[in-house]
Amino acid sequence: MPVESLFPRLEALLPKVQKPIQYVGGELNSTVKSWDEATVRWALMYPDAYEVGLPNQGVQILYEILNEMPETLAERTYAVWPDLEALMRAEGVPQFTVDAHRPVRAFDVFGISFSTELGYTNMLTALDLAGIPLEAADRGDDDPIVLAGGHAAFNPEPVADFLDAAVLGDGEQVAIAITEVIREWKAEGSPGGRDELLMRLAESGGVYVPRFYDVEYHPDGRIRRVAPNRSGVPWRVHKHTVMDLDEWPYPKKPLVPLAETVHERFSVEIFRGCTRGCRFCQAGMITRPVRERSITTIGDMVEAGVKASGFNEVGLLSLSSADHSEIGEVAKGLADRYEGTNTSLSLPSTRVDAFNIDLANEFSRNGRRSGLTFAPEGGSERMRKVINKMVTEEDLIRTVSTAYSQGWRQVKLYFMCGLPTEEDADVLGIADLARKVIKAGREATGSRDVRCTVSIGGFVPKPHTPFQWAAQASHEVVDHRLKALKDILRGDKEYGRAIGMRYHDGKPSIVEGLLSRGDRRVGEVIRAVWQDGGRFDGWSEHFSYQRWMDAAAKVGIDVDWYTTREREENEVLPWDHLDAGLDREWLWQDWQDAVNDVEVEDCRWTPCYDCGVCPTMGTEIQIGPTGKKLLPLTVVRDRPCVSTARQKDGHHDLGRTKPL
């Protein structure tokens, strides 16, 4: 049966809210398909405001892949701001998609991508507005499957009671496989109802269904074990890995926002995964192995995406983009292709030891030299050894001196505060490093017109990293160190005016730490916070530390026990039954190496050091160089529409995803 658009009811509310255009839809390259012609229907959500959610690469990729499939449709929904939420509740307007303004509850799957845990309260708002019961156990056959993905899904336990299922890892292939399982189940007449569908998804080992696992606890609160409560459900659920990224050149037709967004550019992921081995970095650990896109595919994606969107900036993204084996050739080829046009190229923050001035010059050839960003992360040489960020002070000074001498005038440096084994002196070392950067810049340019901005975030231990056992620093300790650093920089008459400092205080990091390493009992805290008005916790103007602490006290959760307590080697962690491919013994040994200031090399260029990913997942590192060139080099000045891409063959295996 057709599902009517909610837009006529929504339209009357829009003049009463801020930025109403974010709820209208109809962006260039958006898709609206016939409801009746589809047999499987997805509502995809990034649980934040439109301006943050629309550029999200993961949602855009799945949106395009699913809509290319026959008899399948996908639409998008985002978190609504409190002003519209209040009006929707008053007028009885449910959570809607922005594409055809259909009610989210009418879809088969409600897929939510979590890149951060601070979006959990927004998920509850969306569920409640949609009329979907908050607790998975209360949902019936008419409710969609609530499915989580994204990096935070590697420990979904704090929101396990609210989820029907979760997927770990790359989503391209498994989204198609899930679609086919649902299509077959519906074609058979939906035998066994919702429970049977979830069982079909779970039994392959590729989809985690929390209700099929029981958690047992020791008297002291630690987990005794997590065990399946159904026969046929695997003890461990494995992540998915797309091995040939050239076979999945998405997005081909990037969405062009109607309202201002945080990133207004066309982004191409030039490789996935990272083996640099930074011990704090969950993204690097859970996305192994490294898989590069070829230089020719990158060129084709950039050309098609720019034509289809009209974006005048192209971002070449990855966890460490300058590490691509052919980044020099990619940069030169693209700079040659777009020289003289309004299309510029950009890289995210760059490792000091991967940077070179020729690369920087290529990326700035068609744009202005606004600044360069590096991420030393640790303020002292010792801390950089602890976190395995193998960058020396000499490396940094030499690099920024070269950059300043070649015309750059601003450098931004990223650091973290509250790292394991950190002492006050390690943080205060940031001031010394920043002073040396300015001094080197002045000497290289003969001018005082150089600046350095230090940006500092609080460290949060993350699952599936060597620091998953570490004690998190209290917010009092973090705030004390940041204040001391700020006082030193402010009091420096010679260099202080040339050094800017941006930082986040320690309180949000404690809440993120509670959610990152929490177990199912933390779900009560999340619900209590949401009931007390918690929304948009990733936004400083909406975040309330006291609200979270009050909610934890109300439900009897000791926040310190989850955050500032160090774990023992044999403690069962809430996510141990979820397999990112990493060997637990290797992670523990790397944690011990961190404590002893021992560094580990990158296995792309050195022998394997047995992290476990390649043999466990049946994968391998895939890097170049291919020796190919980026051709053609001629500029295409017109902007024709891009035809719909050829439909990929379905892959019906929900287990660990391997090459098709």
Side-chain angles (χ1 to χ4, degrees):
M1 294 290 293
V3 173
E4 293 185 3
S5 170
L6 295 169
F7 192 74
R9 297 166 60 191
L10 174 67
E11 188 175 19
L13 308 181
L14 295 183
K16 305 174 184 178
V17 302
Q18 294 185 340
K19 298 182 181 179
I21 197 169
Q22 65 188 303
Y23 306 116
V24 172
E27 302 93 344
L28 179 64
N29 296 325
S30 61
T31 302
V32 176
K33 298 179 72 173
S34 167
W35 184 268
D36 289 343
E37 292 178 8
T39 56
V40 180
R41 308 171 183 99
W42 289 67
L44 299 172
M45 182 183 196
Y46 188 84
D48 209 322
Y50 176 94
E51 61 200 83
V52 178
L54 183 133
N56 180 259
Q57 192 86 338
V59 171
Q60 287 207 32
I61 288 170
L62 295 183
Y63 176 75
E64 194 167 333
I65 287 172
L66 290 167
N67 277 320
E68 283 186 358
M69 296 178 66
E71 300 183 12
T72 306
L73 68 79
E75 298 186 13
R76 297 162 293 125
T77 187
Y78 304 103
V80 299
W81 287 106
D83 57 355
L84 182 57
E85 178 192 345
L87 291 170
M88 290 168 65
R89 292 188 185 281
E91 299 298 327
V93 177
Q95 183 80 19
F96 56 89
T97 62
V98 296
D99 296 290
H101 297 92
R102 290 159 174 156
V104 167
R105 188 170 183 263
F107 288 76
D108 297 302
V109 184
F110 183 21
I112 310 172
S113 178
F114 291 107
S115 60
T116 171
E117 298 84 359
L118 294 176
Y120 290 159
T121 51
N122 283 353
M123 173 188 68
L124 296 187
T125 301
L127 289 172
D128 191 55
L129 285 174
I132 301 169
L134 297 186
E135 301 276 345
D138 297 332
R139 294 176 194 142
D141 292 347
D142 292 334
D143 293 307
I145 299 298
V146 180
L147 174 70
H151 288 180
F154 276 81
N155 178 28
E157 294 302 281
V159 286
D161 290 343
F162 312 123
L163 299 177
D164 293 301
V167 169
L168 313 182
D170 300 335
E172 290 93 334
Q173 293 167 323
V174 71
I176 294 175
I178 290 172
T179 300
E180 296 305 331
V181 169
I182 295 172
R183 196 188 321 278
E184 287 183 5
W185 172 75
K186 291 177 72 174
E188 294 169 11
S190 307
R194 184 184 198 84
D195 195 71
E196 169 65 20
L197 174 57
L198 290 172
M199 187 65 188
R200 292 188 187 190
L201 294 173
E203 61 188 0
S204 67
V207 177
Y208 175 51
V209 179
R211 71 168 64 182
F212 294 155
Y213 294 81
D214 292 332
V215 183
E216 301 172 12
Y217 299 94
H218 289 294
D220 64 1
R222 292 177 299 117
I223 294 173
R224 191 174 81 84
R225 71 169 189 165
V226 179
N229 57 30
R230 298 277 187 101
S231 62
V233 175
W235 280 83
R236 302 197 77 199
V237 178
H238 307 291
K239 78 168 182 178
H240 297 265
T241 304
V242 172
M243 283 305 301
D244 190 348
L245 292 182
D246 283 355
E247 288 295 316
W248 300 87
Y250 295 91
K252 301 172 183 175
K253 298 182 291 182
L255 294 165
V256 180
L258 295 176
E260 183 179 2
T261 59
V262 292
H263 299 300
E264 298 200 346
R265 63 187 176 214
F266 173 48
S267 297
V268 175
E269 187 181 24
I270 63 175
F271 70 86
R272 195 171 292 179
C274 182
T275 47
R276 284 283 192 170
C278 299
R279 293 174 174 129
F280 59 84
C281 183
Q282 184 190 47
M285 294 290 172
I286 64 178
T287 59
R288 295 180 176 206
V290 173
R291 292 145 288 149
E292 288 187 352
R293 276 200 167 102
S294 67
I295 184 172
T296 49
T297 298
I298 293 169
D300 291 344
M301 289 180 68
V302 170
E303 182 178 22
V306 169
K307 285 181 179 179
S309 66
F311 282 121
N312 60 11
E313 181 182 346
V314 177
L316 302 184
L317 304 185
S318 74
L319 294 175
S320 183
S321 294
D323 282 342
H324 191 287
S325 63
E326 295 178 299
I327 189 63
E329 291 84 354
V330 170
K332 184 181 186 307
L334 291 176
D336 286 345
R337 175 183 290 177
Y338 294 106
E339 187 169 16
T341 73
N342 65 348
T343 301
S344 63
L345 308 174
S346 66
L347 278 180
S349 63
T350 307
R351 287 185 62 100
V352 172
D353 50 353
F355 174 87
N356 66 74
I357 203 66
D358 292 335
L359 181 63
N361 284 334
E362 294 293 0
F363 276 93
S364 64
R365 197 198 302 179
N366 227 27
R368 48 190 191 87
R369 298 184 173 189
S370 56
L372 293 171
T373 303
F374 302 103
E377 309 291 2
S380 68
E381 200 94 353
R382 186 189 73 83
M383 281 313 307
R384 290 191 288 276
K385 289 182 178 180
V386 169
I387 64 178
N388 205 45
K389 193 85 174 186
M390 292 183 283
V391 174
T392 66
E393 181 178 298
E394 290 74 18
D395 290 335
L396 179 62
I397 299 304
R398 182 173 57 253
T399 297
V400 297
S401 295
T402 304
Y404 283 133
S405 69
Q406 293 294 312
W408 276 269
R409 290 295 177 262
Q410 296 185 54
V411 170
K412 180 184 287 187
L413 304 177
Y414 281 121
F415 297 92
M416 285 185 290
C417 182
L419 288 160
T421 79
E422 180 185 273
E423 299 175 354
D424 290 4
D426 296 307
V427 176
L428 300 183
I430 295 172
D432 189 46
L433 199 58
R435 284 193 290 253
K436 290 178 179 178
V437 164
I438 294 298
K439 183 174 184 291
R442 290 175 178 177
E443 292 174 352
T445 63
S447 166
R448 297 178 67 86
D449 183 27
V450 293
R451 283 192 57 79
C452 172
T453 300
V454 295
S455 182
I456 308 170
F459 167 69
V460 179
K462 292 287 185 175
H464 306 285
T465 71
F467 289 162
Q468 65 183 358
W469 290 278
Q472 184 172 353
S474 69
H475 72 84
E476 292 91 350
V477 167
V478 170
D479 291 344
H480 163 74
R481 290 173 181 166
L482 290 175
K483 182 180 183 303
L485 175 62
K486 187 176 181 180
D487 289 344
I488 287 178
L489 291 175
R490 278 184 170 178
D492 191 319
K493 294 181 180 180
E494 174 66 18
Y495 298 107
R497 294 174 66 89
I499 302 171
M501 178 177 169
R502 298 177 181 175
Y503 63 93
H504 300 286
D505 64 47
K507 289 181 177 178
S509 297
I510 290 295
V511 173
E512 187 180 345
L514 171 68
L515 301 178
S516 295
R517 294 194 292 175
D519 53 38
R520 294 188 183 185
R521 294 169 292 191
V522 173
E524 294 184 67
V525 182
I526 298 169
R527 183 164 186 164
V529 167
W530 174 77
Q531 290 173 331
D532 192 38
R535 309 287 191 275
F536 291 94
D537 288 292
W539 295 69
S540 59
E541 60 266 42
H542 293 275
F543 174 80
S544 168
Y545 178 76
Q546 195 57 51
R547 179 188 286 133
W548 280 93
M549 296 305 103
D550 290 345
K554 179 180 178 181
V555 302
I557 290 294
D558 182 350
V559 174
D560 289 345
W561 191 85
Y562 283 95
T563 56
T564 59
R565 176 180 67 92
E566 184 172 334
R567 278 67 164 168
E568 298 294 331
E569 179 181 8
N570 61 355
E571 179 172 342
V572 176
L573 303 175
W575 52 88
D576 277 347
H577 59 299
L578 304 174
D579 184 11
L582 296 156
D583 182 78
R584 199 178 195 272
E585 292 182 3
W586 177 81
L587 285 172
W588 175 262
Q589 184 56 54
D590 206 37
W591 167 226
Q592 301 311 298
D593 286 344
V595 173
N596 294 307
D597 302 349
V598 176
E599 296 172 301
V600 177
E601 296 284 347
D602 189 327
C603 66
R604 267 174 290 192
W605 306 297
T606 61
C608 172
Y609 47 80
D610 298 324
C611 76
V613 168
C614 291
T616 302
M617 299 281 105
T619 58
E620 62 183 1
I621 292 174
Q622 293 187 350
I623 60 175
T626 63
K628 296 182 179 179
K629 299 297 181 185
L630 190 62
L631 296 171
L633 298 180
T634 54
V635 177
V636 181
R637 300 190 183 278
D638 59 346
R639 300 205 182 277
C641 294
V642 175
S643 61
T644 302
R646 175 178 59 85
Q647 168 63 42
K648 287 265 182 261
D649 292 332
H651 188 254
H652 204 131
D653 179 10
L654 286 174
R656 326 171 190 183
T657 311
K658 297 182 181 179
L660 291 178

